[in-house]
Amino acid sequence: MPLHVPPAPPAALRTVLAALGTPAAVRHAHTPSLRSAQGPLNPELPLPVHVLDRITAEGVPVTRLAGWRFLIRAGDHAVAAAETAQTAEGWAFSHFFEGPYVTSTERALRQAEEAPQPYQPRLLSVPGLYMLTLWLHADVAADASAGLPDPMDLLIPLAPAPPGIASHRPHRVEELLPLLTRRVGPATPPPTALSPAA
């Protein structure tokens, strides 16, 4: 079923287009495939990147929007990705990159298109495990820059995935979250007046 790719903030897209149009930005990027690409380079498939900051003692994921990622397509496949970040002045281009997460993202998106129901694709980063997943949010009309993973949403770990977690195997959030909780650990409760840390 078709994915409902959310529209990126126009200012974020403009910063990527400006970077692609700046020869020095492309030339100095650590992305040989981007520098050697033939033909036009097009930013496509914008995905909001959410970061899993912690999991509360009650098992609730706490996330925040970190930026928007665009796959940079040359011909029929992505050769790199562009990252943008929100600053006090608005959206800003951050950097280009390439590597396994680019091809793995493309593969996971193709997997998601075969799902029996529509989803809104996002990325969920788990820094504590050096893990990135394609987050398929069931509410396709939701604000892509906000919200928490719903128990029935799907997470597809991208390759390379941490040991013991199979890449490209879809999991319901309610199934994968307990595993992440054991590995990342619940949030530390705030110190009390009797705590040595107080």
Side-chain angles (χ1 to χ4, degrees):
M1 190 162 285
L3 294 175
H4 291 248
V5 179
L13 176 58
R14 283 196 297 271
T15 67
V16 173
L17 290 171
L20 286 172
T22 306
V26 174
R27 190 168 52 251
H28 295 339
H30 299 291
T31 51
S33 61
L34 186 65
R35 294 195 302 268
S36 63
Q38 300 296 313
L41 298 168
N42 299 304
E44 297 180 356
L45 294 169
L47 298 171
V49 181
H50 295 259
V51 174
L52 180 65
D53 279 329
R54 67 186 193 280
I55 301 171
T56 69
E58 294 76 28
V60 178
V62 178
T63 62
R64 62 181 167 82
L65 179 70
W68 282 78
R69 180 173 297 177
F70 298 78
L71 294 182
I72 307 300
R73 189 171 297 278
D76 60 354
H77 67 284
V79 296
E83 196 90 6
T84 63
Q86 196 163 24
T87 68
E89 291 75 34
W91 288 98
F93 171 74
S94 175
H95 61 280
F96 293 116
F97 68 94
E98 61 182 48
Y101 281 141
V102 174
T103 54
S104 187
T105 300
E106 274 198 308
R107 177 181 168 187
L109 287 167
R110 287 195 299 270
Q111 282 181 263
E113 288 174 346
E114 298 173 2
Q117 74 178 78
Y119 287 103
Q120 180 193 83
R122 306 172 174 194
L123 292 172
L124 181 65
S125 172
V126 187
L129 297 178
Y130 299 97
M131 179 180 181
L132 186 65
T133 72
L134 180 66
W135 168 14
L136 300 176
H137 193 46
D139 183 357
V140 297
D143 178 357
S145 64
L148 297 174
D150 183 89
M152 298 305 287
D153 288 354
L154 288 179
L155 297 176
I156 302 178
L158 301 183
I165 298 177
S167 59
H168 294 284
R169 180 175 176 267
H171 299 266
R172 294 277 180 203
V173 167
E174 63 184 0
E175 298 167 352
L176 189 58
L177 198 59
L179 176 59
L180 299 183
T181 302
R182 287 194 296 273
R183 293 197 179 193
V184 175
T188 305
T192 64
L194 300 177
S195 168

